[in-house]
Structures are given as C-alpha cells and as structure tokens.
Amino acid sequence: MPSGMTAYAIEEYGDPDVFEETTREVPEPGPNEIRVEVVASSLNPVDYKIRQGAIPDFAPEFPAILHCDVAGVVDAVGDGVEEFEAGDEVYGMPGGAGRQGALADYVVGHAGTFAHAPGEIPLEDSAALPVVALTAWEMLADKATVDIGDEVLVYGGAGGVGHIGVQLADWFGANVIATGSSEANRELAEELGADATVDYTETDVETYVDEYASGGGFDVVFDPVGDEHLETAFQAVRPFGSVVTTESSAAQDLDLAPMHANSLELGVVLVILPVLLGDRQERIGEELDDIATLVDKGALEPHIDDRYTFDEVAEVHRRGEEGDFRGKLLLVNE
C-alpha cells in the first residue's frame, strides 16, 4: 500500500480552475468504514455548487476533495464491517458533502453508504448512478409512492435525475410524460420509457395537462429542476395529487396557497442528508442494493453523455455549469 495518493482538491471556493492535483496521505478506515480504490466518479450539481461556495455548509474542510459519487474496489475494511471484503466491486455515496470525497485514488466512507455494484454494466458506469438514482428513488418510491396506472409528469426527462426518474416511473407502471427543451432531449426521454414528451418552451401548462392528464392534472409531478418549474408543478398536478422536488427547488419563496386549495402533498428530498448528519447512513446502501437489482434486470441504466479523466475535472465542472449535456458526465481515474 503506497503512503501517498493523488487527489484533486480545492483550497478555496471559486471557478473550475481552483482544482489542484495534490498528493495526500492514503486514509485509513475506522470502525464500520471501508476504504475503496476509486475507479470512477461523476458530476452532480451539488459538486459544483460546493466548489462555487454556494452551499458552504455542505463542504468538506479545506483542502477539500469533492464529489459524492464513486465506484471502485474495496481495498480495506474497518472493525465491525461484515458485508464487504477486500476485492469487492462497490458503488456508493460516501463523501464529498461534509467529508472528503471521491476525486482521489482512495476514498473512505461508512460501509452503509456503499452497495455491491451492478454486475451487468461496467463498474465505472455505476459511478454515474448514486446521487441521481437515490434522489429519483426517494422522490418516486418514498415520497410520491407511484403506483401502476399513475400519470406522472417528469420535468427535465433527459437530465441527471430526470432520466432516471423516467425509467423508474415507467418500471413502477406509470404513464410517463416528460418535458424537454430540445428534440434530442425529448428523443432520449422517449427511448428511456416516456410515453410522450412535451416541449415546455413552446407549450403552456394548461395545454399539455388537457392533452395528457385525464383527471384535471397529473397524479404526480416530478421536479428535479426547480426555479419556475415548481410553480408550474402546482398548476399541472391534480387535486389530492403529489409534487416531489429536490432541496434546491424548494428553497425559495413560493405561494403555497394552491397546496391548501387542492389538498396537495409536497415531498422534498435532500439525498445527501444521511452523510451530512452521519445518521441513518445504512439507508443509502439498502436503496443502492435495490437500484443495482433493477440495473441487472435491465430496467434501469445510466445515460453517460461523455467520459473524462480526473485531470480534466475543471472542464467537467465548466460543462456541468453550462448544462450542455444529457444524463451524466463521468470521470474515470486513470
């Protein structure tokens, strides 16, 4: 075992060029932790928002190693770990939010934040799943409890969380309508299981509700986008329906009177909370086990728009901020 490892860290908040290639000590796993030799990571909005300094409460201590998603091979296990052993291929969400993350040769995390990686896709591809798949799973299975025959509207059906949401809603047996601002985005959403798609830049809410929702609105509106989309979600959902959103979408001043008037349910997901709190981390691994099963059944797959190496992390962050991609951007540790 080498005493040092390569890591891509930041010493301060700033633009993508703040990343520096550094040499750090290889971390040792403590009780109930595992050490993983990193094969790949992927980019999520939370990663570049931490780098920008937009959410400092979520950042590891400087020098900070970012990125929540990881896939790799177990290298060592701490006391009390029984579910993993050296050589296991795993994927998970062990850090990058409140503790050191995946942009390094090795990462240490609570064993509960990992699961055995899916066997039917390359190990590196599984690094594109944890944050987005956990978010979509908790929005649809835990908050909205989507069932067979539900009419589900997915905002941003070609986005990171959205493209997983389309697949999960389809697997749950829902009738899925996805939005997209470009023909390519809408085509991808349909390939992944959407029954129909809508160009929300050209079609107003009332029009697509009338065309695609049979009960005066959708049973569930799935909003991983935020901004004005959460306001339109209240217009698109039926009375007694559910709106599910991410933490950034709900962190704004909104008129919640429509919720009361239509007896709506609002579910908000902050998927990294168990890591931030160091509490209930086992739920991450349990849900990732279920997600891996769906991947191996062919019901779910990550769409990887492009692949980079760790030393190209600044370019990945720039592209992520610009939003000119579909699905996920993957970083491979070569």
Side-chain angles (χ1 to χ4, degrees):
M1 167 56 59
S3 58
M5 68 174 184
T6 299
Y8 293 84
I10 64 171
E11 294 277 2
E12 60 183 356
Y13 301 125
D15 65 28
D17 292 324
V18 295
F19 283 104
E20 296 181 358
E21 182 179 339
T22 65
T23 300
R24 303 282 293 275
E25 291 186 4
V26 176
E28 292 294 331
N32 301 312
E33 293 184 332
I34 64 174
R35 183 172 64 208
V36 172
E37 186 173 5
V38 176
V39 169
S41 182
S42 69
L43 180 71
N44 296 287
V46 66
D47 301 317
Y48 60 72
K49 289 177 182 178
I50 291 174
R51 191 214 75 234
Q52 293 167 342
I55 44 177
D57 291 344
F58 292 2
E61 294 182 359
F62 291 127
I65 304 173
L66 305 187
H67 280 226
C68 302
D69 287 340
V70 67
V73 179
V74 176
D75 170 71
V77 301
D79 292 340
V81 176
E82 298 180 353
E83 60 269 41
F84 300 110
E85 60 184 22
D88 285 348
E89 294 187 345
V90 296
Y91 76 135
M93 192 181 69
R99 58 181 297 163
Q100 300 298 341
L103 287 179
D105 291 336
Y106 297 90
V107 65
V108 163
H110 191 284
T113 63
F114 290 92
H116 294 280
E120 295 300 315
I121 61 174
L123 177 59
E124 65 183 48
D125 289 11
S126 65
L129 284 168
V131 167
V132 295
L134 287 167
T135 300
W137 180 271
E138 293 185 11
M139 290 171 75
L140 291 171
D142 297 343
K143 298 294 184 182
T145 59
V146 172
D147 204 351
I148 296 172
D150 282 349
E151 295 173 335
V152 178
L153 175 65
V154 175
Y155 287 147
V161 176
H163 88 286
I164 299 296
V166 166
Q167 295 176 77
L168 286 179
D170 179 59
W171 183 77
F172 288 144
N175 183 42
V176 184
I177 309 300
T179 71
S181 59
S182 71
E183 184 176 353
N185 287 355
R186 295 190 296 275
E187 286 179 355
L188 175 60
E190 290 183 356
E191 290 172 7
L192 295 174
D195 296 284
T197 57
V198 173
D199 182 350
Y200 68 91
T201 67
E202 299 289 340
T203 309
D204 60 37
V205 178
E206 292 79 6
T207 299
Y208 62 73
V209 167
D210 287 344
E211 183 172 359
Y212 296 112
S214 61
F218 293 91
D219 298 295
V220 175
V221 179
F222 177 97
D223 169 36
V225 181
D227 301 322
E228 73 277 3
H229 288 82
L230 188 53
E231 296 182 27
T232 64
F234 292 146
Q235 302 172 44
V237 69
R238 65 164 173 79
F240 308 105
S242 298
V243 174
V244 285
T245 187
T246 58
E247 76 285 354
S248 59
S249 302
Q252 54 184 299
D253 293 327
L254 287 171
D255 178 9
L256 299 182
M259 287 191 60
H260 180 264
N262 292 289
S263 194
L264 303 177
E265 293 185 356
L266 176 63
V268 182
V269 170
L270 175 55
V271 75
I272 60 174
L273 187 61
V275 176
L276 291 170
L277 297 180
D279 183 34
R280 306 183 189 185
Q281 296 182 84
E282 292 81 4
R283 70 176 290 175
I284 294 174
E286 292 168 359
E287 292 176 353
L288 286 174
D289 277 333
D290 291 334
I291 290 163
T293 298
L294 291 183
V295 173
D296 287 338
K297 287 181 176 179
L300 182 66
E301 64 176 337
H303 177 81
I304 297 170
D305 189 282
D306 214 343
R307 299 169 191 267
Y308 296 83
T309 55
F310 273 21
D311 59 358
E312 297 174 299
V313 61
E315 173 59 25
V316 173
H317 274 238
R318 272 190 286 270
R319 190 171 172 195
E321 290 170 334
E322 293 167 358
D324 64 336
F325 64 96
R326 295 182 294 278
K328 295 297 297 291
L329 299 175
L330 192 72
L331 293 107
V332 180
N333 188 23
E334 294 184 347

